[in-house]
Amino acid sequence: MTDITQKANLLSIKNIEVIYDHVILVLKGVSLDVPEGSIVALLGGNGAGKSTTLKSISNLLQAERGDVTKGSIFFKDERIDQLNPSTVVKKGIVQVMEGRHCFAHLTIEENLLTGAFTRAVSRKEIADNLEKVYNYFPRLKQRRSSLAGFTSGGEQQMTAVGRALMAKPKMILLDEPSMGLAPQIVSEIFEIVEDLNKKENVSFLLAEQNTTVALRHANYGYILENGRIVMDGPANELASNEDVKEFYLGISGAGRKSFRDAKHYRRRKRWLA
Amino acid sequence: MGFFVEVLLSGLMAGVLYSLVALGFVLIFKASGVFNFAQGAMVLFAALTFVRLLDILKDTFAPITLALIITIAMMIMLAMAIERLVLRPLVNQPGISLFMATLGIAYFLDGFGQTLWGSDIYTLDIGIPKGSIFILESVFEGGVLVAKEDLVATVIAGLLVVTLAIFFQKTRIGRALRAVADDHQAAQSIGIPLNYIWVIVWTVAGLVALVAGVIWGSKLGVQFSLSLIALKALPVLILGGFESVLGAVIGGLIIGAGEKLAEIYIGPYVGGGIEYWFAYMLALGFLMFRPQGLFGEVHIDRV
Ligand SMILES: Nc1ncnc2c1ncn2[C@@H]1O[C@H](COP(=O)(O)OP(=O)(O)O)[C@@H](O)[C@H]1O
Ligand SMILES: [Mg+2]
């Protein structure tokens, strides 16, 4: 994998704090960078704050009574943390939400077309764009006139990604694409993500609990625990790191470690702090 | 048989108006989850604005067109004001707060409309033909007698419904409206601005109210009671389902036809007056046996 860390940052989050409902502190100073043209994985267990991080970028937090109370978010060196969601999309960042969120009563094709809402371009250009999405996801073309609500989880995930592509984004915030899908479908989707990254030059910030798959396809990774980044590094280094292996990949060198093993205990504590 | 059809038709034509009012409710409910108690007040306000402008502009070259344009402009401004002053500040508040807010809008519109335009009964004449004609003479002996104005009203309402259907199914904005109705967070995630969509649906609801108000007003005169037809829309909604455009249309027709038929055929046995409570009894029955309504949307839960 090429070293993408040398490239300029497309997205840069600096020390943000997020509070829900004015009292629930969820992100406690998160910083991360997504270099232009890269796939960056944001890893961590359930409730770590991955979705919150993505929503603070797309500013979908507002709708959930969440607020970025400290820090700043830059996209191409421009501050974006005070923009409304629609403006963020126009700037070139689209979020694919956890759980796909397709429009159940719209057909697959209508779902894709809604993705182009913010673009003031000709019908021709939209039609070309649609064709391109169908090239990446041939299954969607077969099912173009089915209601999205009646398609499989994998097809819905593809629809959600395709819909985001219709906005011609520079960057996609992809939240747990593997959730609830069969391993084969998961790798199919990740292959396409990598393809899009290379051919369309779309950068990805990818939130995942499925650490193994995510690190296989990402260039760089951050590990989030309890609203803090506890570790980061190039994907291959993270994948071979002993602690990551133990806590996130479910592999450990010498069988089950005991909690009396002081070294690991301390480490674990630090991560959970 | 001819007589039965006559009653049925006149009921259906009255039902068209119930459908229009219910349609306004459904549009707003689908797009913003708000139960808009002010729909009836919007009907009155639109009709009142239109009839008074018609009077003011009666010496110009095209009074009806001008009055229509200005009234439409006012309904758009109303939609913008409601979005800015009511919906936006109350975003993320529970449904009941928004419902209360629409109660406020209803009283404001009733009061403001009458302060601005007066509270008399105004006759509205936009050239809808009066009198009755016989139709279907080849099918029934002697034909069926219908009021011309009912016929015209039905055609106008039908056109409106078809136009709306095309707007929702075929246009970019219509698609965005349906997207918001389905999943407003997902709609935001792809850059559809909710505020803009709200302005559009309230405008559309305002235009539907205008059509209903003008048709009804030219039949009964423009007066405060127009505001109360919202109460007739409630049983229509229970029948048709709060989220179904088709349900609003069919529900209105069923209630319109049902109450006329009941009045004629059952009325004599119970001393008449069925028309006034039939709709509510029917709705009550539905609440007990089919609370989601005839066309309550199939909720697709599969994920
Ligand atoms: N709308 C909300 N209001 C209050 N707390 C929330 C809200 N959304 C998420 N949280 C809390 O924030 C924490 C992080 O959630 P989330 O960002 O969804 O984590 P992840 O995506 O990593 O599973 C969790 O403890 C969750 O309960
Ligand atoms: Mg999440």
Side-chain angles (χ1 to χ4, degrees):
Chain A
M1 228 163 269
T2 50
D3 184 13
I4 47 87
T5 49
Q6 304 302 321
K7 289 214 181 150
N9 287 330
L10 185 61
L11 180 86
S12 189
I13 299 183
K14 303 212 188 292
N15 207 21
I16 56 166
E17 188 180 277
V18 169
I19 297 184
Y20 282 111
D21 280 319
H22 301 291
V23 286
I24 309 166
L25 177 63
V26 170
L27 295 190
K28 303 154 188 170
V30 168
S31 299
L32 62 83
D33 294 320
V34 180
E36 171 107 50
S38 64
I39 301 179
V40 171
L42 183 59
L43 307 167
N46 205 2
K50 304 181 296 297
S51 299
T52 302
T53 308
L54 298 196
K55 284 180 193 162
S56 57
I57 303 167
S58 57
N59 215 348
L60 293 177
L61 270 187
Q62 276 173 346
E64 298 197 18
R65 305 161 63 82
D67 211 0
V68 180
T69 48
K70 270 190 201 148
S72 47
I73 303 173
F74 292 88
F75 182 65
K76 296 185 198 160
D77 299 322
E78 182 191 352
R79 243 188 115 152
I80 58 164
D81 40 298
Q82 299 304 324
L83 304 179
N84 63 41
S86 174
T87 316
V88 174
V89 172
K90 283 186 197 142
K91 298 255 173 223
I93 305 177
V94 182
Q95 175 161 0
V96 176
M97 290 198 289
E98 180 179 321
R100 0 233 189 256
H101 284 263
C102 292
F103 302 121
H105 300 93
L106 271 62
T107 64
I108 297 278
E109 184 150 309
E110 286 175 329
N111 265 275
L112 296 176
L113 289 172
T114 53
F117 184 85
T118 50
R119 293 170 61 210
V121 294
S122 67
R123 276 165 186 272
K124 168 86 173 65
E125 206 171 328
I126 301 230
D128 290 348
N129 218 195
L130 190 63
E131 220 30 64
K132 201 172 200 174
V133 170
Y134 282 144
N135 275 334
Y136 281 101
F137 301 103
R139 262 164 191 259
L140 296 187
K141 188 163 191 173
Q142 286 167 20
R143 307 223 49 186
R144 66 204 292 173
S145 49
S146 316
L147 290 188
F150 292 128
T151 59
S152 71
E155 285 159 347
Q156 291 188 6
Q157 187 65 61
M158 293 176 187
T159 305
V161 174
R163 186 176 66 185
L165 281 175
M166 291 297 290
K168 280 249 168 174
K170 289 296 295 165
M171 168 162 203
I172 291 181
L173 311 169
L174 187 51
D175 201 348
E176 303 219 25
S178 76
M179 189 199 260
L181 300 182
Q184 187 198 337
I185 307 285
V186 172
S187 38
E188 192 180 331
I189 287 172
F190 273 85
E191 292 298 330
I192 297 171
V193 164
E194 225 176 287
D195 234 24
L196 289 169
N197 174 249
K198 292 207 181 81
K199 295 189 191 140
E200 309 293 326
N201 196 30
V202 180
S203 307
F204 283 86
L205 178 57
L206 176 72
E208 260 300 347
Q209 293 196 48
N210 189 337
T211 312
T212 321
V213 179
L215 287 179
R216 197 180 301 145
H217 295 273
N219 309 101
Y220 199 86
Y222 290 85
I223 295 177
L224 192 61
E225 252 180 34
N226 253 312
R228 285 196 177 90
I229 303 280
V230 290
M231 187 185 264
D232 68 289
N236 49 359
E237 281 176 29
L238 283 182
S240 56
N241 179 293
E242 287 304 321
D243 291 326
V244 176
K245 272 191 194 166
E246 184 179 345
F247 294 124
Y248 291 100
L249 299 175
I251 323 159
S252 74
R256 254 190 81 117
K257 294 254 159 62
S258 140
F259 267 100
R260 257 172 288 153
D261 185 334
K263 193 177 122 210
H264 275 90
Y265 182 51
R266 216 182 318 117
R267 231 173 239 157
R268 186 176 187 127
K269 253 187 100 165
R270 174 167 60 79
W271 282 17
L272 293 173
Chain B
M1 188 62 196
F3 178 67
F4 172 80
V5 174
E6 207 168 286
V7 177
L8 181 67
L9 279 183
S10 86
L12 287 176
M13 290 176 194
V16 163
L17 288 172
Y18 300 155
S19 300
L20 282 187
V21 180
L23 197 59
F25 271 107
V26 169
L27 293 178
I28 289 179
F29 189 77
K30 272 178 84 83
S32 54
V34 177
F35 183 84
N36 177 25
F37 190 81
Q39 190 65 31
M42 281 163 68
V43 171
L44 173 66
F45 183 76
L48 211 51
T49 306
F50 180 70
V51 75
R52 298 298 286 147
L53 283 172
L54 214 51
D55 188 43
I56 293 169
L57 298 166
K58 64 177 178 291
D59 297 325
T60 57
F61 60 98
I64 293 183
T65 316
L66 285 179
L68 204 58
I69 291 173
I70 300 175
T71 311
I72 290 173
M74 283 200 62
M75 296 315 280
I76 295 174
M77 270 156 30
L78 179 68
M80 287 160 83
I82 289 174
E83 187 277 319
R84 188 72 197 80
L85 303 174
V86 181
L87 302 178
R88 205 184 296 183
L90 286 180
V91 73
N92 290 332
Q93 298 298 315
I96 189 74
S97 313
L98 282 157
F99 169 69
M100 295 307 252
T102 68
L103 262 175
I105 296 174
Y107 281 107
F108 170 77
L109 279 181
D110 281 345
F112 178 66
Q114 294 184 63
T115 311
L116 195 63
W117 302 120
S119 52
D120 296 334
I121 298 177
Y122 301 99
T123 47
L124 177 57
D125 182 11
I126 53 164
I128 294 180
K130 303 277 176 192
S132 304
I133 49 163
F134 286 96
I135 58 166
L136 299 177
E137 275 163 305
S138 54
V139 186
F140 303 104
E141 201 183 334
V144 174
L145 188 69
V146 295
K148 279 187 204 159
E149 54 180 0
D150 284 348
L151 219 49
V152 173
T154 306
V155 171
I156 295 176
L159 282 178
L160 181 71
V161 170
V162 171
T163 313
L164 284 178
I166 294 173
F167 171 65
F168 280 111
Q169 293 302 322
K170 300 289 172 203
T171 67
R172 165 176 165 274
I173 305 268
R175 202 161 47 222
L177 284 172
R178 285 187 293 139
V180 170
D182 247 14
D183 186 331
H184 64 270
Q185 225 191 358
Q188 274 191 300
S189 81
I190 50 171
I192 299 175
L194 296 187
N195 307 32
Y196 171 71
I197 295 297
W198 289 338
V199 171
I200 306 249
V201 281
W202 281 77
T203 301
V204 173
L207 298 183
V208 173
L210 172 62
V211 173
V214 168
I215 293 176
W216 220 311
S218 45
K219 214 164 158 175
L220 308 170
V222 176
Q223 53 179 316
F224 184 74
S225 67
L226 282 189
S227 186
L228 302 177
I229 60 175
L231 298 178
K232 263 290 164 51
L234 205 61
V236 173
L237 291 171
I238 291 168
L239 213 67
F242 282 78
E243 296 190 12
S244 167
V245 171
L246 183 67
V249 175
I250 310 265
L253 295 178
I254 291 178
I255 293 223
E259 61 185 19
K260 280 282 188 305
L261 289 172
E263 181 68 38
I264 299 288
Y265 290 100
I266 308 174
Y269 302 105
V270 295
I274 285 190
E275 237 179 312
Y276 300 105
W277 52 260
F278 176 80
Y280 303 100
M281 286 305 287
L282 198 61
L284 206 62
F286 260 80
L287 277 181
M288 285 192 280
F289 298 110
R290 202 181 152 78
Q292 75 274 36
L294 278 177
F295 298 88
E297 219 154 61
V298 231
H299 277 279
I300 305 180
D301 282 331
R302 197 166 152 190
V303 281

